Structure formats: C-alpha cells, structure tokens
Amino acid sequence: MAFLIDGKKISSQIKDELKTEIAEMKKKGTEVTLAVIQVGNDPASSVYVGNKKKACAYIGIRSLAYELPESTTEMELLTLIDELNNRKDVNGILVQLPVPAHINEKHIIEAIHPLKDVDGFHPRNVGALVTGEDGFVSCTPAGIIQLLKRSNIDIDGKECVVVGRSNIVGKPMAILLLRENATVTICHSHTKDLKEVCKRADILVAAIGKPKFFNRDYIKEGAVVIDVGIHRNEQNKLCGDVDRDDVMDLVSAITPVPGGVGPMTIAMLMYNCVEAVRLQKTER
Ligand code: NDP
C-alpha cells in the first residue's frame, strides 16, 4: 500500500519550529515583518492573502497589509515597493500575483529588493539558486524538497522527472533536485513520448495544471509521486494532476490533494521571512 506524504503534518512541524525560532529572536529584540500587497480583489487572491496573514499571526511574524484598488497604476505600486525596500523594519515584501493586466508583472518582480524577495522570483535569486549561492528559493519547490527529506525519501542519485517548466514550479524544482544530486529530466508540452520518460522516474513531479492527467501508464512501479496540481472537479472537490485512485497500488509514496504540496507553500514562505532576517544581517 502506498505511503501518503502528509503535507499538513510536515507544514505544521515547520511552522512550529519557526514559531520557536521567532520567539527566541524576539527575546533578543529582533522582530520579523512581512509586507503583503494585493492589488484588486480577485477572490482566489484574497483567500491566499488571508491564509498568509493567518500563518504570520500564528508564527509571530508581524504582517503589514496593503489592499490597493484595481485602478492602482504601475507607478503607484512601484512607489510603494520602493518605500518598503527602504524601510529597515520591513524584512519581506510579497506582491500577490497575478496583478491586474495594466501592470507589468516583470517590472514588479524586478522592483522588489532581492534581499526582501521572499517569493524568490527576482532574477538575482533565481541566479543564486542556479549557482548554489545564498538567496530565496521559490516556496512550492522548496516545500517539495522538505516533504521528501522529512519523509526520509532519498533523492541522491535518483532518476527524477519534473513535468512542467514554469518559473515558479518546474524550473526551480529541477534545479533543487539537481542540487540534491538527482539525475533530472524536465518535460513540457513539446516532450515526445511523455509516458515513456515519466516511466523512468524514481521520483515524478507532476506540475502541468491538468486534472487527473497522470494515470498508471505514466508511473513506474514503486515510484514516488509528487502532485503539485490543484483543481476543482465536477463535484467541486479538490483534485490534482495525478489520478490518485488509478496509481495508488503502483506507487511507493504519493502526496494527496488536498493536504500534500499545498500547505507547504505557505510554510516555506514563513521560512523565507525568517531567512530574510539572516540574509539582511549578512549583507549589512
Ligand atoms: P503553468 O501553467 O505556468 O505551467 C504549466 C507547465 O506544464 C508548462 O511548462 C507546460 O508546458 C506544461 N504542460 C502543460 N500541458 C502539458 C502536457 N500535456 N504535457 C506536458 N507538459 C505540459 O503552471 P504552474 O507551474 O504555475 O502550475 C502547475 C500546477 O500547479 C497548477 O495546477 C497550479 O494550480 C499548481 N500550483 C500549485 C501550487 C501549490 O501550492 N500546491 C503552487 C503553484 C502552482 P509549456 O511550457 O511547453 O507550455
């Protein structure tokens, strides 16, 4: 029977470790502050922002909320980011994506100071990830590495296949697995014989955004499967990119949806906020 990798439990462990660390920091007079900016009132974004604020409150991170109207101009947003970049009492800045279409997302990502870029999207942090230097790592793939390590799943020397090559999931995921000494293949919509490539995987990371796409034809017996996708099915229930019922008897371990990768993303955001204090101290 497959082992279910419990993202809820592991994310709680990480949050509790951070809570203890922050309490210690507070005793020494250091406060951790995250500024969260939301432009417009997209309902999904509001839920994500609300969850981030809740996690901050639980852990002891001070959160500053900026809820800006949909009509906010790019210049107004850049001005706010500049102000927060220059504030010594702000450690992390997060702009909830997507921003409205009239604002250029790339300009926003590049405006956040790399030492406050707790999402890990700034090109300098992406570069640091590739060269193995200190910096922030995108939260979802960083959380997946924690899921594997804390479930005692060995990565070293393993054949890993990452399906999806987005800047926030697929690409950083592949680099992190490489850093853990895996042999890594990245697949995308132009990959030929996707089934055959996936069947080579000891660890398969499915991140394409297509509900229940990966059935048993894509899975090697005994593989570990990480399901990044989140969708609502016809019954309004959450499901992933993997058809879990179909693969369950084949895999050795799998992340459920919900309760697998999802909870890890916020835990790693909280981790990055604490990391921000350390990196900012080193640089100054
Ligand atoms: P994107 O849409 O940015 O990227 C999807 C990738 O999948 C692309 O690289 C695309 O290839 C590839 N792809 C699409 N269809 C196929 C196919 N049939 N065969 C092979 N490759 C394919 O998605 P994200 O990376 O942002 O997210 C992926 C999923 O993960 C989504 O369901 C999202 O909701 C979820 N997600 C979950 C998070 C969490 O916290 N659990 C966080 C972030 C995302 P190409 O580049 O060639 O177009």
Side-chain angles (χ1 to χ4, degrees):
M1 191 60 185
F3 164 64
L4 275 186
I5 300 174
D6 191 344
K8 252 173 122 174
K9 188 168 132 202
I10 295 172
S11 71
S12 292
Q13 280 167 359
I14 292 174
K15 284 193 275 189
D16 285 337
E17 288 165 15
L18 292 169
K19 191 174 179 170
T20 308
E21 200 176 335
I22 286 173
E24 286 303 315
M25 289 164 86
K26 274 190 183 157
K27 278 188 204 157
K28 293 178 190 146
T30 304
E31 175 133 62
V32 185
T33 301
L34 171 67
V36 181
I37 306 172
Q38 184 182 358
V39 186
N41 46 15
D42 170 64
S45 291
S46 300
V47 171
Y48 293 137
V49 166
N51 289 340
K52 287 168 189 174
K53 284 192 227 162
K54 242 190 265 167
C56 283
Y58 176 74
I59 289 171
I61 292 177
R62 184 168 73 118
S63 66
L64 305 177
Y66 294 87
E67 283 152 23
L68 309 180
E70 181 88 19
S71 57
T72 304
T73 64
E74 184 173 309
M75 191 46 81
E76 284 166 338
L77 182 54
L78 290 172
T79 304
L80 173 60
I81 291 171
D82 190 46
E83 193 185 294
L84 295 168
N85 279 340
N86 288 310
R87 269 178 64 171
K88 286 218 158 43
D89 66 325
V90 172
N91 305 102
I93 303 170
L94 182 149
V95 178
Q96 185 63 45
L97 300 177
V99 283
H102 64 274
I103 298 177
N104 184 324
E105 195 171 288
K106 190 169 176 285
H107 294 167
I108 302 307
I109 290 173
E110 290 178 1
I112 297 172
H113 193 292
L115 286 173
K116 297 191 176 186
D117 166 43
V118 285
D119 259 338
F121 296 163
H122 191 285
R124 213 170 97 187
N125 283 314
V126 177
L129 171 64
V130 174
T131 54
E133 285 157 52
D134 274 351
F136 297 108
V137 179
S138 180
C139 300
T140 302
I144 291 170
I145 295 292
Q146 286 302 313
L147 282 180
L148 292 168
K149 286 190 169 174
R150 288 174 186 245
S151 305
N152 296 317
I153 293 166
D154 206 14
I155 308 172
D156 198 311
K158 292 288 163 65
E159 191 86 42
C160 294
V161 174
V162 179
V163 195
R165 56 173 164 179
S166 70
N167 288 338
I168 62 165
V169 184
K171 283 183 200 155
M173 185 74 254
I175 302 292
L176 284 174
L177 290 166
L178 187 61
R179 209 153 88 170
E180 298 295 329
N181 298 319
T183 302
V184 185
T185 305
I186 309 175
C187 300
H188 44 78
S189 66
H190 296 246
T191 298
K192 303 244 186 309
D193 298 327
L194 183 63
K195 282 183 185 166
E196 291 315 309
V197 181
C198 290
K199 272 195 144 160
R200 294 207 303 257
D202 300 313
I203 300 175
L204 176 69
V205 180
I208 66 169
K210 303 236 157 91
K212 296 192 178 185
F213 180 93
F214 295 90
N215 60 21
R216 57 195 300 114
D217 297 346
Y218 291 80
I219 313 285
K220 175 169 87 173
E221 194 171 351
V224 172
V225 175
I226 304 293
D227 191 352
V228 187
I230 312 179
H231 318 275
R232 288 218 174 261
N233 68 13
E234 311 80 49
Q235 290 87 39
N236 203 31
K237 279 178 80 178
L238 288 173
C239 71
D241 283 355
V242 178
D243 185 348
R244 182 147 59 101
D245 293 337
D246 196 48
V247 306
M248 206 55 189
D249 63 325
L250 260 185
V251 302
S252 61
I254 188 166
T255 58
V257 179
V261 174
M264 295 302 291
T265 302
I266 287 189
M268 297 316 287
L269 172 68
M270 299 296 106
Y271 173 87
N272 278 353
C273 291
V274 176
E275 182 75 353
V277 175
R278 194 180 65 76
L279 290 176
Q280 286 157 16
K281 275 200 181 128
T282 320
E283 285 282 316
R284 280 174 186 149

